[in-house]
Amino acid sequence: MSMTLPRKVRMVEVGPRDGLQNEKAVVPTAVKIALIERLADSGLTVVESGSFVSPKWVPQMADTEEILAVIRRKPGVVYPVLVPNMKGMEAAEAATGVEEIAVFAAASESFSRRNINCSIEESVARFQPVAERAEKLRWRVRGYISCVIDCPYEGAIAPAAVASVAEKLLAMGCYEISLGDTIGTGTPARAQAMIEAVAAKVPRDRIAVHYHDTYGQAVANILASLELGVAVVDSSVAGLGGCPYAKGATGNVASEDVLYLLNGLGIETGVDLDKLASAGRFISGALGRAPAAGVAQALAARA
Ligand code: HMG
Ligand code: MG
């Protein structure tokens, strides 16, 4: 391989949020809490734990406040939540123990409308006071961008469009920009072209990748991203998830698959594969299905 891979990677677990937000059946709050605690116990240092969004839009996340009030927090682990506007920020402030939030924009106008009911420009304007308030509170703000490769409504998205949104989120104070292949259509060459465009505006150590695995390309895309110096990878235990506003999008890349890849490359994460897979079996059992992931299934067959 031509470029040196990072020595360490930070895995950002998004299963309890990105995964569970898409479940049709109600997932009991106690199950979500147990999942979050198990994920933190596996050595993950970031476990995204919910969203302060409209419960009419995303009913699954309506118990975020309750979850934050009850979870046993492990020192050294952060439990970020999504915040789309000042109303969400007020809810986050009223909740227990928030120290990091994420705002979420899109690189496609149509997706922005469907997901958060406003244009890209309006979304950035809505995030501005959220970021300012967060700065006063000394909370960290992460910025997501959806549809960085393709949009379910518009098709291919220009890398320059992604870079332009990334630059705005960075200027607003986001410490990291997570690039979301929301519908999982990306392949390594397109992922690299997109990352290079973003890296012209955003330092590489502030870039994270967030691949959905709809077409089974996520692990390949992650390797291609690591080759470009990206060292933060979002994933979802047991491959949970999808996006309610992106028809046909399946789950995020499974955390077990990502960790198996990173272990194989000798890249440090601090995460224990057996404990992570056990958390995956726990939530899959609670949802009444097998884990989506190749690695998780292989380990389950062995367990
Ligand atoms: P809106 O309807 O345009 O907002 O929704 P509004 O300001 O006009 O308010 C309408 C109603 O919503 C009012 O209530 C507000 O109080 C309420 P009503 O008077 O009708 O009873 N409201 C809220 N309630 C709770 N919390 C709030 C909030 N804001 C307004 N924060 C809004 C705009 C953004 C709220 C809405 O579109 C929404 O909640 N969308 C959900 C978006 C979402 O959660 N999507 C999934 C996460 S993003 C994702 O998965 C992608 C990612 O994984 C990366 C990738 O893969 O691409 C991150
Ligand atoms: Mg996502």
Side-chain angles (χ1 to χ4, degrees):
M1 230 165 284
S2 53
M3 217 181 131
T4 329
L5 297 172
R7 199 173 57 76
K8 263 187 180 179
V9 159
R10 174 156 47 89
M11 290 179 70
V12 174
E13 173 61 45
V14 298
R17 192 279 304 171
D18 205 352
L20 298 184
Q21 75 182 6
N22 207 40
E23 286 298 320
K24 301 267 177 307
V26 178
V27 181
T29 305
V31 169
K32 296 182 184 176
I33 291 166
L35 173 65
I36 291 166
E37 292 179 351
R38 281 168 189 253
L39 290 167
D41 286 340
S42 77
L44 289 157
T45 55
V46 189
V47 182
E48 207 171 60
S49 295
S51 302
F52 287 110
V53 297
S54 163
K56 284 182 194 147
W57 285 63
V58 186
Q60 275 299 356
M61 294 290 109
D63 56 358
T64 296
E65 184 182 358
E66 200 184 332
I67 289 169
L68 294 179
V70 176
I71 44 169
R72 172 177 45 80
R73 286 183 164 71
K74 197 179 155 200
V77 178
V78 284
Y79 303 86
V81 288
L82 263 55
V83 168
N85 53 22
M86 280 308 282
K87 189 169 166 93
M89 188 65 187
E90 282 153 25
E93 281 189 59
T96 313
V98 176
E99 48 189 356
E100 178 171 329
I101 58 170
V103 295
F104 48 108
S108 133
E109 285 294 348
S110 317
F111 188 83
S112 184
R113 291 247 163 241
R114 303 274 181 129
N115 192 36
I116 51 176
N117 204 24
C118 62
S119 69
I120 298 171
E121 199 180 319
E122 283 164 344
S123 76
V124 171
R126 279 182 196 180
F127 301 152
Q128 189 70 50
V130 171
E132 282 165 18
R133 180 70 193 147
E135 197 188 346
K136 286 210 178 75
L137 297 166
R138 296 177 185 272
W139 291 4
R140 300 221 294 172
V141 184
R142 191 172 202 240
Y144 278 108
I145 307 177
S146 287
C147 301
V148 298
I149 305 270
D150 287 317
C151 165
Y153 313 106
E154 293 180 17
I157 296 298
V162 182
S164 150
V165 178
E167 196 177 14
K168 291 188 180 109
L169 293 178
L170 186 75
M172 184 183 289
C174 292
Y175 77 92
E176 186 166 282
I177 311 297
S178 174
L179 302 168
D181 179 10
T182 315
I183 56 172
T185 51
T187 47
R190 294 184 70 201
Q192 286 193 332
M194 182 276 298
I195 289 169
E196 288 294 10
V198 173
K201 310 275 185 190
V202 174
R204 271 168 217 259
D205 62 1
R206 305 255 213 132
I207 296 177
V209 288
H210 178 107
Y211 294 114
H212 285 255
D213 203 23
T214 319
Y215 285 79
Q217 302 296 300
V219 165
N221 292 338
I222 289 168
L223 181 56
S225 309
L226 298 175
E227 283 179 45
L228 296 187
V230 173
V232 184
V233 178
D234 298 2
S235 63
S236 186
V237 72
L240 296 173
C243 176
Y245 303 105
K247 196 167 172 277
T250 62
N252 297 87
V253 63
S255 306
E256 296 91 325
D257 288 0
V258 174
L259 182 55
Y260 188 83
L261 170 76
L262 297 172
N263 284 347
L265 293 167
I267 294 173
E268 219 176 284
T269 60
V271 185
D272 181 280
L273 182 57
D274 288 330
K275 286 185 182 165
L276 180 65
S278 156
R281 285 195 293 276
F282 163 77
I283 188 62
S284 302
L287 297 173
R289 58 171 184 255
V295 169
Q297 283 176 4
L299 292 176
R302 235 184 40 188

